[in-house]
Amino acid sequence: MARELTKKERLAISRNPMPAQDPTERIRNFDEVALGFTEDLAIGEAERCLECKKPKCVDSCPVGIDIPAFVHAVADGRFAEALAIIKADNTLPAICGRVCPQEDQCEQTCVTGNKGDPVAIGRLERYVADLERESGEVKMPVCEESSGFKVGVIGSGPAGLACAASLAMRGHEVTVFEALHKPGGVLIYGIPEFRLPKAIVRDEIRSLTKMGVEFKCNFVVGTTATIEELMGEWEYDSLFIGTGAGLPYFMGIPGEDLIGVCSANEFLTRVNLMRGFNFPKYDTPVAIGRRVAVVGAGNVAMDCCRTALRLGCEKVICLYRRTRDEAPARIEELEHAEEEGVDFRWLAVPVEVLGNDDAVVTGVRVQKMELGEPDLSGRPRPVPIAGSEYEVELDSIIVGIGQGANPLLTQATEGLDVDKRGRIMTEEVTQETSIPGVFAGGDIVTGAATVILAMGAGKLAARSIDCYLNGVAMVPDGETVVDREEFVTHPAGGAAAGTHNRVH
Amino acid sequence: MARILEIEEIAPAFKSYIIHDPVIARRHRAGQFVIVLLHEESERIPLTIADSDAVRGTIRLVVQEVGKTTMEMGTLRPGDSIQVVGPLGKPTLIEKFGTCVCVGGGAGIAPLLPIALALDDAGNHVVSILGGRTQELVILRREMEEVSDEIYYTTDDGSFGAKGLVTHALDTYIEGAGRPELVIAIGPAVMMRAVSEQTRPLGVRTLVSLNTIMIDGTGMCGGCRVPVGGQSRFVCVDGPEFDGHEVDFDMLMKRQRIYLEQEELARRRFLESHDCRAVAAGG
């Protein structure tokens, strides 16, 4: 059992740093940077939890994990139990323990953090998930008896995987459609090995397969088959669209089509999905030269900077129009990139890509900025400083300034309502789209966000789908379900009349 | 995985593959392509669907062996399986236009075939002008003859049809028959540019089908982008067909050569590690 500690004693323990590969060493390999806690570190860290009566961390978790309970189990050394607690709400803990922005979620509201550093909840989550994975004895969730319903999940990224897992546990027959040749979506093609080892994603997908989920790769819904066909002749009773963002933004500046300019998506896909770092063993090349600029300062841009370093680039500069304080990347990612030697140019915007007669990039013209009044996003607006332009010699430029909604599926689907940015519009509580029985969630609804938010949306959609299939409707608290017909016809009375709670 | 049912060498370094994929076969419309992946370590390459048979559940791909992946594909045997995704890209807009001239050069004749077929089915007067370096490289002649009302051939060496380029034959045709309603040109970028320049002053609507480097083929990476009408367009989802008068062919050709060095390295390594059969096939 855990040591008996007073609140004061708990607060006196300082947060354990994450063991990591040395920066000079790690930029020469693609191995994971963060090495993970040892048992002692995990227990020591868990003991810092004050086990608050009203834990704020749970409210800040997009999937509502019972964090104090699992942390308590870790402090007691009951690791398998800790994992079971997490898995009740999160089917992909080894992934979330690595890529969730905990500092903006559970750890941000952690009460221990009020007086010092918050409990390293994410690292503990990762620890217990890894422990089970490494033991080779992965406990499968218990699936309900077959419901006889068939549900299609479009996209095998975080939203799709979470939705598929949740549906399978409810006894539905699930097929996941993936456009690429490997399932996992952004977890496979986007997030690099050194941040999320691909073996972990493969293991999670294997677990889903064992739960009966079928993966159909090389299947582009919208063109290989339409939503209408899947709901018709393919006989799916319901669908979930979790196709992600998937349309790279470019800057719209002169020279952007020159050879040596690519999107972050292209660069990362070449390296991660197609294993371009291992050319010519793998056939897909990646050629970015010795000097590269990455535009943007989000997590994807950091992934590009750090991948470029590992490919042997001598100089990697990061251009961002605001300052470090406004950079959208996680602090941890910025710190890792800084440690590894990325040359950050804050308040800098590329205004023209320069090239030679062969249309090959030779450099970029950069405009210096200063911060002005806040814009619509609430962040200070970057304002150009007149006469401050300068040129940087480069071999390539990677554009990592965000993504919009890929229109392939939405344009091919009649009757599917989208907003003016092309994102799918859904009913707020149920996530049902304008097509009955078709639900959506993740980046294709919210715009580019995080893995955990997409997973949360996938999980919630699974519950709505379950209600839909069983002919019941959810009421706005998202917990209670009532007869669907009744709800649809008498929304006010429905909730009061035939309510019953379902415990999931 | 999709199984290869038949492979036929239709010309030196040109193979025709019949691939079993009932879903794609049924969905395919003229102008669309698939992306093929041979195996785990392979690259994803776009190949235009030359024909499809919805009843038999097959698609036909005609592949010129120019690089490592296409040569390696040439070593496959009937019964082998590959990964195929599609159909991708926007289908050709098919209507009854009137007279449509289909200009095909070399490997470009394969993607031209389903378009000529669809134009013929829609009741157009289909005139085909096909060219190649030498007679045996003017591929799919029988199939093209079946769907064409008139057909003209050119070869660089004069071994078949008129000696010269397809543009000469197009000149001759227009001089005699007048302005067609539509020209579709598919072949090497230089050929498509030459045809587009030829039809521009005549104001003849001219479509070209672009073949660029792609990875996902769904608009996710942007690697296939080409300036069209001053705007960057994605060949995979906005194309592959564009108005020939709007395409920046100079940029297209330069972008096609992005990985030339790596492609050459991969090709050499492949030839060195393979037997004389593959070397012979590669020319």
Side-chain angles (χ1 to χ4, degrees):
Chain A
M1 282 299 286
R3 294 187 291 161
E4 287 298 325
L5 294 170
T6 64
K7 185 176 169 184
K8 206 169 174 185
E9 282 168 331
R10 289 179 192 276
L11 283 170
I13 313 170
S14 53
R15 179 174 161 115
N16 283 314
M18 184 65 145
Q21 275 199 76
D22 185 74
T24 53
E25 194 58 44
R26 73 191 187 217
I27 59 166
R28 290 201 290 264
N29 65 56
F30 277 87
D31 298 341
E32 192 169 15
V33 167
L35 299 170
F37 274 171
T38 58
E39 183 173 328
D40 287 348
L41 285 176
I43 292 178
E45 185 64 35
E47 283 177 340
R48 301 182 60 231
C49 176
L50 300 174
E51 294 173 23
C52 315
K53 289 221 169 57
K54 286 183 183 166
K56 292 183 176 166
C57 50
V58 181
D59 296 336
S60 314
C61 172
V63 293
I65 295 172
D66 188 350
I67 294 167
F70 108 73
V71 174
H72 185 80
V74 174
D76 280 354
R78 291 177 283 118
F79 303 124
E81 199 180 321
L83 185 62
I85 295 167
I86 298 172
K87 280 193 174 174
D89 294 296
N90 179 356
T91 42
L92 308 168
I95 295 172
C96 292
R98 287 172 165 82
V99 302
C100 263
Q102 290 99 6
E103 64 278 11
D104 298 328
Q105 298 171 353
C106 53
E107 294 182 17
Q108 188 182 48
T109 52
C110 170
V111 175
T112 307
N114 289 346
K115 288 189 177 162
D117 293 322
V119 176
I121 300 164
R123 292 168 189 174
L124 294 175
E125 179 183 28
R126 168 179 164 170
Y127 176 73
V128 292
D130 283 0
L131 207 61
E132 186 196 58
R133 229 172 48 81
E134 284 154 15
S135 76
E137 288 169 31
V138 177
K139 276 213 187 72
M140 301 302 298
V142 182
C143 294
E144 287 173 25
E145 261 178 60
S146 170
S147 66
F149 290 117
K150 205 171 130 181
V151 185
V153 170
I154 305 162
S156 66
L161 292 182
C163 187
S166 225
L167 289 166
M169 282 159 72
R170 290 172 159 89
H172 306 307
E173 184 187 332
V174 183
T175 309
V176 180
F177 298 98
E178 167 56 47
L180 291 168
H181 57 277
K182 277 186 202 166
V186 73
L187 306 171
I188 285 289
Y189 76 74
I191 302 176
E193 181 79 20
F194 56 82
R195 208 149 72 78
L196 177 64
K198 300 305 149 223
I200 292 173
V201 184
R202 281 196 295 273
D203 284 350
E204 300 287 11
I205 286 162
R206 197 169 303 140
S207 297
L208 285 180
T209 313
K210 283 187 193 153
M211 287 162 69
V213 174
E214 184 199 3
F215 285 88
K216 264 192 200 297
C217 288
N218 295 315
F219 199 110
V220 187
V221 176
T223 174
T224 308
T226 62
I227 296 267
E228 198 183 350
E229 287 167 333
L230 291 179
M231 292 292 277
E233 60 204 87
W234 290 69
E235 297 182 331
Y236 284 93
D237 299 297
S238 178
L239 295 173
F240 171 73
I241 306 173
T243 47
L247 180 75
Y249 286 142
F250 284 91
M251 300 172 286
I253 62 172
E256 213 167 6
D257 288 330
L258 292 175
I259 294 166
V261 185
C262 72
S263 71
N265 269 358
E266 177 179 355
F267 175 60
L268 293 173
T269 303
R270 283 181 179 274
V271 176
N272 298 328
L273 176 73
M274 307 308 296
R275 318 306 276 174
F277 61 87
N278 205 353
F279 177 86
K281 182 177 187 296
Y282 284 77
D283 291 335
T284 305
V286 50
I288 53 168
R290 294 180 299 113
R291 302 160 303 175
V292 54
V294 174
V295 186
N299 291 322
V300 172
M302 292 309 104
D303 286 345
C304 291
C305 288
R306 300 173 66 200
T307 299
L309 285 170
R310 283 159 176 78
L311 290 173
C313 286
E314 289 160 17
K315 182 163 116 180
V316 176
I317 67 172
C318 175
L319 301 170
Y320 181 57
R321 58 193 180 142
R322 294 186 171 94
T323 72
R324 191 182 192 276
D325 291 340
E326 292 83 30
R330 297 181 63 194
I331 301 286
E332 186 182 307
E333 303 306 322
L334 289 169
E335 284 172 357
H336 277 149
E338 284 162 346
E339 287 166 14
E340 290 172 10
V342 173
D343 175 2
F344 283 92
R345 308 280 177 94
W346 306 113
L347 295 164
V349 168
V351 287
E352 184 182 359
V353 182
L354 310 168
N356 62 18
D357 291 345
D358 294 326
V360 175
V361 169
T362 56
V364 64
R365 180 170 296 128
V366 177
Q367 163 92 63
K368 282 192 190 170
M369 313 296 277
E370 59 189 352
L371 293 183
E373 292 300 305
D375 63 12
L376 288 175
S377 72
R379 297 177 298 177
R381 186 194 302 275
V383 183
I385 302 173
S388 67
E389 290 185 15
Y390 65 100
E391 289 179 9
V392 186
E393 283 187 21
L394 293 171
D395 299 312
S396 60
I397 295 162
I398 299 167
V399 185
I401 56 171
Q403 298 187 59
N406 188 308
L408 198 151
L409 180 138
T410 50
Q411 283 179 2
T413 310
E414 228 170 282
L416 184 65
D417 290 349
V418 296
D419 67 13
K420 58 178 186 291
R421 291 199 211 165
R423 299 177 299 198
I424 296 175
M425 287 163 52
T426 57
E427 205 276 312
E428 203 180 322
V429 176
T430 62
Q431 297 175 236
E432 191 166 7
T433 66
S434 52
I435 301 176
V438 178
F439 297 75
D443 285 6
I444 188 64
V445 173
T446 58
T450 61
V451 167
I452 188 71
L453 284 172
M455 282 184 49
K459 186 185 143 186
L460 280 175
R463 194 167 62 183
S464 299
I465 290 170
D466 192 55
C467 293
Y468 168 82
L469 294 172
N470 289 305
V472 292
M474 282 207 299
V475 296
D477 68 1
E479 288 293 336
T480 320
V481 290
V482 296
D483 181 81
R484 186 178 170 85
E485 293 301 315
E486 205 172 328
F487 181 72
V488 171
T489 43
H490 312 286
T499 54
H500 65 281
N501 286 305
R502 281 181 67 123
V503 181
H504 291 300
Chain B
M1 298 287 272
R3 213 153 67 90
I4 300 173
L5 302 183
E6 297 165 30
I7 305 176
E8 186 194 349
E9 185 157 0
I10 58 165
F14 270 100
K15 288 203 177 81
S16 164
Y17 298 83
I18 304 291
I19 296 168
H20 185 70
D21 195 320
V23 177
I24 299 179
R26 210 174 51 129
R27 297 284 306 178
H28 165 239
R29 298 288 172 274
Q32 291 186 301
F33 64 95
V34 290
I35 282 186
V36 163
L37 181 81
L38 303 183
H39 53 76
E40 172 71 23
E41 286 152 27
S42 197
E43 62 178 337
R44 295 167 62 97
I45 55 164
L47 295 169
T48 307
I49 303 170
D51 199 3
S52 58
D53 183 337
V55 177
R56 205 178 154 207
T58 56
I59 56 167
R60 182 184 188 190
L61 303 177
V62 174
V63 182
Q64 185 177 22
E65 294 172 1
V66 283
K68 191 227 157 164
T69 305
T70 46
M71 285 179 192
E72 191 179 3
M73 190 168 172
T75 65
L76 298 177
R77 294 279 162 264
D80 289 344
S81 287
I82 56 175
Q83 303 201 50
V84 183
V85 59
L88 301 168
K90 289 202 160 74
T92 312
L93 175 70
I94 302 290
E95 279 174 23
K96 186 167 177 184
F97 298 105
T99 298
C100 301
V101 181
C102 297
V103 185
I109 300 172
L112 194 61
L113 175 61
I115 299 171
L117 172 71
L119 287 171
D120 182 48
D121 282 349
N124 290 286
H125 181 76
V126 177
V127 179
S128 294
I129 298 174
L130 310 179
R133 262 192 297 132
T134 186
Q135 177 169 13
E136 56 192 354
L137 295 177
V138 184
I139 59 169
L140 304 173
R141 295 197 294 262
R142 185 178 52 77
E143 290 92 332
M144 285 300 291
E145 278 167 18
E146 276 174 24
V147 299
S148 306
D149 297 290
E150 294 176 57
I151 194 158
Y152 304 93
Y153 295 107
T154 66
T155 48
D156 296 1
D157 62 2
S159 56
F160 182 64
K163 182 172 159 63
L165 302 172
V166 286
T167 42
H168 300 151
L170 180 60
D171 261 340
T172 312
Y173 174 80
I174 294 175
E175 264 171 39
R179 256 176 47 137
E181 273 68 37
L182 178 71
V183 168
I184 296 185
I186 310 182
V190 279
M191 183 208 95
M192 294 192 284
R193 177 168 64 185
V195 170
S196 300
E197 285 316 314
Q198 211 178 343
T199 57
R200 187 195 303 274
L202 303 174
V204 176
R205 201 159 82 84
T206 302
L207 288 178
V208 294
S209 178
L210 308 186
N211 184 3
T212 54
I213 293 167
M214 288 184 194
I215 304 179
D216 60 289
T218 62
M220 193 196 78
C221 83
C224 62
R225 66 195 191 282
V226 169
V228 180
Q231 262 197 322
S232 195
R233 307 291 299 275
F234 289 4
V235 173
C236 66
V237 286
D238 299 326
E241 279 162 28
F242 294 99
D243 180 344
H245 300 148
E246 298 274 318
V247 172
D248 182 343
F249 284 101
D250 186 47
M251 208 57 206
L252 169 73
M253 284 185 268
K254 283 170 176 159
R255 288 193 62 88
Q256 283 174 335
R257 296 163 62 89
I258 296 178
Y259 292 102
L260 201 64
E261 203 181 302
Q262 288 82 1
E263 284 164 8
E264 186 48 34
L265 170 72
R267 200 179 76 95
R268 259 202 334 269
R269 272 172 53 101
F270 177 79
L271 290 177
E272 280 162 13
S273 68
H274 268 70
D275 57 19
C276 50
R277 179 176 47 82
V279 177

mmCIF file with all atom_site columns, all heavy atoms in Angstrom, chain B residues 148-162:
data_model
loop_
_atom_site.group_PDB
_atom_site.id
_atom_site.type_symbol
_atom_site.label_atom_id
_atom_site.label_alt_id
_atom_site.label_comp_id
_atom_site.label_asym_id
_atom_site.label_entity_id
_atom_site.label_seq_id
_atom_site.pdbx_PDB_ins_code
_atom_site.Cartn_x
_atom_site.Cartn_y
_atom_site.Cartn_z
_atom_site.occupancy
_atom_site.B_iso_or_equiv
_atom_site.pdbx_formal_charge
_atom_site.auth_seq_id
_atom_site.auth_comp_id
_atom_site.auth_asym_id
_atom_site.auth_atom_id
_atom_site.pdbx_PDB_model_num
ATOM 1   N N   . SER B 1 148 ? -12.716 5.448  -82.646 1.00 0.00 ? 148 SER B N   1
ATOM 2   C CA  . SER B 1 148 ? -12.479 6.677  -83.403 1.00 0.00 ? 148 SER B CA  1
ATOM 3   C C   . SER B 1 148 ? -13.207 6.633  -84.739 1.00 0.00 ? 148 SER B C   1
ATOM 4   O O   . SER B 1 148 ? -13.292 5.582  -85.382 1.00 0.00 ? 148 SER B O   1
ATOM 5   C CB  . SER B 1 148 ? -10.973 6.840  -83.682 1.00 0.00 ? 148 SER B CB  1
ATOM 6   O OG  . SER B 1 148 ? -10.247 6.780  -82.475 1.00 0.00 ? 148 SER B OG  1
ATOM 7   N N   . ASP B 1 149 ? -13.712 7.798  -85.144 1.00 0.00 ? 149 ASP B N   1
ATOM 8   C CA  . ASP B 1 149 ? -14.322 7.899  -86.469 1.00 0.00 ? 149 ASP B CA  1
ATOM 9   C C   . ASP B 1 149 ? -13.248 8.135  -87.527 1.00 0.00 ? 149 ASP B C   1
ATOM 10  O O   . ASP B 1 149 ? -13.386 7.741  -88.667 1.00 0.00 ? 149 ASP B O   1
ATOM 11  C CB  . ASP B 1 149 ? -15.342 9.036  -86.483 1.00 0.00 ? 149 ASP B CB  1
ATOM 12  C CG  . ASP B 1 149 ? -16.481 8.751  -85.523 1.00 0.00 ? 149 ASP B CG  1
ATOM 13  O OD1 . ASP B 1 149 ? -17.276 7.846  -85.819 1.00 0.00 ? 149 ASP B OD1 1
ATOM 14  O OD2 . ASP B 1 149 ? -16.544 9.394  -84.455 1.00 0.00 ? 149 ASP B OD2 1
ATOM 15  N N   . GLU B 1 150 ? -12.208 8.841  -87.100 1.00 0.00 ? 150 GLU B N   1
ATOM 16  C CA  . GLU B 1 150 ? -11.054 9.042  -87.985 1.00 0.00 ? 150 GLU B CA  1
ATOM 17  C C   . GLU B 1 150 ? -9.822  8.841  -87.120 1.00 0.00 ? 150 GLU B C   1
ATOM 18  O O   . GLU B 1 150 ? -9.823  9.190  -85.939 1.00 0.00 ? 150 GLU B O   1
ATOM 19  C CB  . GLU B 1 150 ? -11.007 10.492 -88.514 1.00 0.00 ? 150 GLU B CB  1
ATOM 20  C CG  . GLU B 1 150 ? -12.147 10.877 -89.433 1.00 0.00 ? 150 GLU B CG  1
ATOM 21  C CD  . GLU B 1 150 ? -12.028 12.360 -89.805 1.00 0.00 ? 150 GLU B CD  1
ATOM 22  O OE1 . GLU B 1 150 ? -10.980 12.769 -90.344 1.00 0.00 ? 150 GLU B OE1 1
ATOM 23  O OE2 . GLU B 1 150 ? -12.984 13.106 -89.519 1.00 0.00 ? 150 GLU B OE2 1
ATOM 24  N N   . ILE B 1 151 ? -8.747  8.318  -87.716 1.00 0.00 ? 151 ILE B N   1
ATOM 25  C CA  . ILE B 1 151 ? -7.536  8.152  -86.911 1.00 0.00 ? 151 ILE B CA  1
ATOM 26  C C   . ILE B 1 151 ? -6.303  8.428  -87.780 1.00 0.00 ? 151 ILE B C   1
ATOM 27  O O   . ILE B 1 151 ? -6.262  8.055  -88.958 1.00 0.00 ? 151 ILE B O   1
ATOM 28  C CB  . ILE B 1 151 ? -7.512  6.754  -86.245 1.00 0.00 ? 151 ILE B CB  1
ATOM 29  C CG1 . ILE B 1 151 ? -6.458  6.687  -85.142 1.00 0.00 ? 151 ILE B CG1 1
ATOM 30  C CG2 . ILE B 1 151 ? -7.307  5.645  -87.257 1.00 0.00 ? 151 ILE B CG2 1
ATOM 31  C CD1 . ILE B 1 151 ? -6.723  5.588  -84.104 1.00 0.00 ? 151 ILE B CD1 1
ATOM 32  N N   . TYR B 1 152 ? -5.366  9.141  -87.197 1.00 0.00 ? 152 TYR B N   1
ATOM 33  C CA  . TYR B 1 152 ? -4.124  9.488  -87.907 1.00 0.00 ? 152 TYR B CA  1
ATOM 34  C C   . TYR B 1 152 ? -2.939  9.132  -87.023 1.00 0.00 ? 152 TYR B C   1
ATOM 35  O O   . TYR B 1 152 ? -3.003  9.283  -85.809 1.00 0.00 ? 152 TYR B O   1
ATOM 36  C CB  . TYR B 1 152 ? -4.098  10.987 -88.238 1.00 0.00 ? 152 TYR B CB  1
ATOM 37  C CG  . TYR B 1 152 ? -5.305  11.422 -89.033 1.00 0.00 ? 152 TYR B CG  1
ATOM 38  C CD1 . TYR B 1 152 ? -6.440  11.932 -88.390 1.00 0.00 ? 152 TYR B CD1 1
ATOM 39  C CD2 . TYR B 1 152 ? -5.337  11.277 -90.419 1.00 0.00 ? 152 TYR B CD2 1
ATOM 40  C CE1 . TYR B 1 152 ? -7.573  12.287 -89.105 1.00 0.00 ? 152 TYR B CE1 1
ATOM 41  C CE2 . TYR B 1 152 ? -6.477  11.635 -91.146 1.00 0.00 ? 152 TYR B CE2 1
ATOM 42  C CZ  . TYR B 1 152 ? -7.588  12.141 -90.484 1.00 0.00 ? 152 TYR B CZ  1
ATOM 43  O OH  . TYR B 1 152 ? -8.697  12.488 -91.195 1.00 0.00 ? 152 TYR B OH  1
ATOM 44  N N   . TYR B 1 153 ? -1.882  8.676  -87.655 1.00 0.00 ? 153 TYR B N   1
ATOM 45  C CA  . TYR B 1 153 ? -0.698  8.268  -86.889 1.00 0.00 ? 153 TYR B CA  1
ATOM 46  C C   . TYR B 1 153 ? 0.509   9.082  -87.326 1.00 0.00 ? 153 TYR B C   1
ATOM 47  O O   . TYR B 1 153 ? 0.645   9.445  -88.498 1.00 0.00 ? 153 TYR B O   1
ATOM 48  C CB  . TYR B 1 153 ? -0.393  6.785  -87.127 1.00 0.00 ? 153 TYR B CB  1
ATOM 49  C CG  . TYR B 1 153 ? -1.472  5.863  -86.614 1.00 0.00 ? 153 TYR B CG  1
ATOM 50  C CD1 . TYR B 1 153 ? -2.322  5.200  -87.501 1.00 0.00 ? 153 TYR B CD1 1
ATOM 51  C CD2 . TYR B 1 153 ? -1.635  5.653  -85.249 1.00 0.00 ? 153 TYR B CD2 1
ATOM 52  C CE1 . TYR B 1 153 ? -3.315  4.348  -87.034 1.00 0.00 ? 153 TYR B CE1 1
ATOM 53  C CE2 . TYR B 1 153 ? -2.623  4.800  -84.778 1.00 0.00 ? 153 TYR B CE2 1
ATOM 54  C CZ  . TYR B 1 153 ? -3.462  4.152  -85.672 1.00 0.00 ? 153 TYR B CZ  1
ATOM 55  O OH  . TYR B 1 153 ? -4.441  3.314  -85.214 1.00 0.00 ? 153 TYR B OH  1
ATOM 56  N N   . THR B 1 154 ? 1.393   9.306  -86.375 1.00 0.00 ? 154 THR B N   1
ATOM 57  C CA  . THR B 1 154 ? 2.687   9.913  -86.706 1.00 0.00 ? 154 THR B CA  1
ATOM 58  C C   . THR B 1 154 ? 3.772   9.169  -85.936 1.00 0.00 ? 154 THR B C   1
ATOM 59  O O   . THR B 1 154 ? 3.527   8.668  -84.835 1.00 0.00 ? 154 THR B O   1
ATOM 60  C CB  . THR B 1 154 ? 2.765   11.403 -86.297 1.00 0.00 ? 154 THR B CB  1
ATOM 61  O OG1 . THR B 1 154 ? 2.704   11.503 -84.864 1.00 0.00 ? 154 THR B OG1 1
ATOM 62  C CG2 . THR B 1 154 ? 1.642   12.239 -86.897 1.00 0.00 ? 154 THR B CG2 1
ATOM 63  N N   . THR B 1 155 ? 4.952   9.090  -86.532 1.00 0.00 ? 155 THR B N   1
ATOM 64  C CA  . THR B 1 155 ? 6.104   8.562  -85.794 1.00 0.00 ? 155 THR B CA  1
ATOM 65  C C   . THR B 1 155 ? 7.307   9.464  -86.066 1.00 0.00 ? 155 THR B C   1
ATOM 66  O O   . THR B 1 155 ? 7.399   10.079 -87.139 1.00 0.00 ? 155 THR B O   1
ATOM 67  C CB  . THR B 1 155 ? 6.463   7.110  -86.226 1.00 0.00 ? 155 THR B CB  1
ATOM 68  O OG1 . THR B 1 155 ? 6.497   7.057  -87.664 1.00 0.00 ? 155 THR B OG1 1
ATOM 69  C CG2 . THR B 1 155 ? 5.469   6.103  -85.698 1.00 0.00 ? 155 THR B CG2 1
ATOM 70  N N   . ASP B 1 156 ? 8.184   9.532  -85.072 1.00 0.00 ? 156 ASP B N   1
ATOM 71  C CA  . ASP B 1 156 ? 9.383   10.373 -85.226 1.00 0.00 ? 156 ASP B CA  1
ATOM 72  C C   . ASP B 1 156 ? 10.243  9.882  -86.380 1.00 0.00 ? 156 ASP B C   1
ATOM 73  O O   . ASP B 1 156 ? 10.846  10.664 -87.108 1.00 0.00 ? 156 ASP B O   1
ATOM 74  C CB  . ASP B 1 156 ? 10.233  10.346 -83.941 1.00 0.00 ? 156 ASP B CB  1
ATOM 75  C CG  . ASP B 1 156 ? 9.490   10.948 -82.753 1.00 0.00 ? 156 ASP B CG  1
ATOM 76  O OD1 . ASP B 1 156 ? 8.328   11.363 -82.927 1.00 0.00 ? 156 ASP B OD1 1
ATOM 77  O OD2 . ASP B 1 156 ? 10.079  11.008 -81.651 1.00 0.00 ? 156 ASP B OD2 1
ATOM 78  N N   . ASP B 1 157 ? 10.301  8.539  -86.528 1.00 0.00 ? 157 ASP B N   1
ATOM 79  C CA  . ASP B 1 157 ? 11.205  7.982  -87.540 1.00 0.00 ? 157 ASP B CA  1
ATOM 80  C C   . ASP B 1 157 ? 10.495  7.634  -88.854 1.00 0.00 ? 157 ASP B C   1
ATOM 81  O O   . ASP B 1 157 ? 11.108  7.088  -89.765 1.00 0.00 ? 157 ASP B O   1
ATOM 82  C CB  . ASP B 1 157 ? 11.920  6.743  -86.977 1.00 0.00 ? 157 ASP B CB  1
ATOM 83  C CG  . ASP B 1 157 ? 10.942  5.628  -86.616 1.00 0.00 ? 157 ASP B CG  1
ATOM 84  O OD1 . ASP B 1 157 ? 9.723   5.792  -86.843 1.00 0.00 ? 157 ASP B OD1 1
ATOM 85  O OD2 . ASP B 1 157 ? 11.394  4.590  -86.084 1.00 0.00 ? 157 ASP B OD2 1
ATOM 86  N N   . GLY B 1 158 ? 9.210   7.916  -88.919 1.00 0.00 ? 158 GLY B N   1
ATOM 87  C CA  . GLY B 1 158 ? 8.485   7.652  -90.156 1.00 0.00 ? 158 GLY B CA  1
ATOM 88  C C   . GLY B 1 158 ? 8.192   6.188  -90.408 1.00 0.00 ? 158 GLY B C   1
ATOM 89  O O   . GLY B 1 158 ? 7.743   5.810  -91.484 1.00 0.00 ? 158 GLY B O   1
ATOM 90  N N   . SER B 1 159 ? 8.402   5.337  -89.387 1.00 0.00 ? 159 SER B N   1
ATOM 91  C CA  . SER B 1 159 ? 8.189   3.903  -89.581 1.00 0.00 ? 159 SER B CA  1
ATOM 92  C C   . SER B 1 159 ? 6.709   3.560  -89.701 1.00 0.00 ? 159 SER B C   1
ATOM 93  O O   . SER B 1 159 ? 6.347   2.476  -90.138 1.00 0.00 ? 159 SER B O   1
ATOM 94  C CB  . SER B 1 159 ? 8.815   3.118  -88.421 1.00 0.00 ? 159 SER B CB  1
ATOM 95  O OG  . SER B 1 159 ? 8.284   3.573  -87.184 1.00 0.00 ? 159 SER B OG  1
ATOM 96  N N   . PHE B 1 160 ? 5.859   4.488  -89.292 1.00 0.00 ? 160 PHE B N   1
ATOM 97  C CA  . PHE B 1 160 ? 4.417   4.224  -89.334 1.00 0.00 ? 160 PHE B CA  1
ATOM 98  C C   . PHE B 1 160 ? 3.695   5.563  -89.408 1.00 0.00 ? 160 PHE B C   1
ATOM 99  O O   . PHE B 1 160 ? 4.033   6.509  -88.710 1.00 0.00 ? 160 PHE B O   1
ATOM 100 C CB  . PHE B 1 160 ? 4.017   3.442  -88.072 1.00 0.00 ? 160 PHE B CB  1
ATOM 101 C CG  . PHE B 1 160 ? 2.561   3.079  -88.034 1.00 0.00 ? 160 PHE B CG  1
ATOM 102 C CD1 . PHE B 1 160 ? 2.009   2.210  -88.975 1.00 0.00 ? 160 PHE B CD1 1
ATOM 103 C CD2 . PHE B 1 160 ? 1.742   3.594  -87.041 1.00 0.00 ? 160 PHE B CD2 1
ATOM 104 C CE1 . PHE B 1 160 ? 0.661   1.879  -88.925 1.00 0.00 ? 160 PHE B CE1 1
ATOM 105 C CE2 . PHE B 1 160 ? 0.396   3.254  -86.988 1.00 0.00 ? 160 PHE B CE2 1
ATOM 106 C CZ  . PHE B 1 160 ? -0.138  2.392  -87.929 1.00 0.00 ? 160 PHE B CZ  1
ATOM 107 N N   . GLY B 1 161 ? 2.695   5.655  -90.266 1.00 0.00 ? 161 GLY B N   1
ATOM 108 C CA  . GLY B 1 161 ? 1.966   6.917  -90.417 1.00 0.00 ? 161 GLY B CA  1
ATOM 109 C C   . GLY B 1 161 ? 2.875   7.990  -90.975 1.00 0.00 ? 161 GLY B C   1
ATOM 110 O O   . GLY B 1 161 ? 3.899   7.703  -91.607 1.00 0.00 ? 161 GLY B O   1
ATOM 111 N N   . ALA B 1 162 ? 2.497   9.248  -90.700 1.00 0.00 ? 162 ALA B N   1
ATOM 112 C CA  . ALA B 1 162 ? 3.300   10.351 -91.225 1.00 0.00 ? 162 ALA B CA  1
ATOM 113 C C   . ALA B 1 162 ? 4.553   10.531 -90.383 1.00 0.00 ? 162 ALA B C   1
ATOM 114 O O   . ALA B 1 162 ? 4.521   10.360 -89.169 1.00 0.00 ? 162 ALA B O   1
ATOM 115 C CB  . ALA B 1 162 ? 2.475   11.630 -91.208 1.00 0.00 ? 162 ALA B CB  1
#
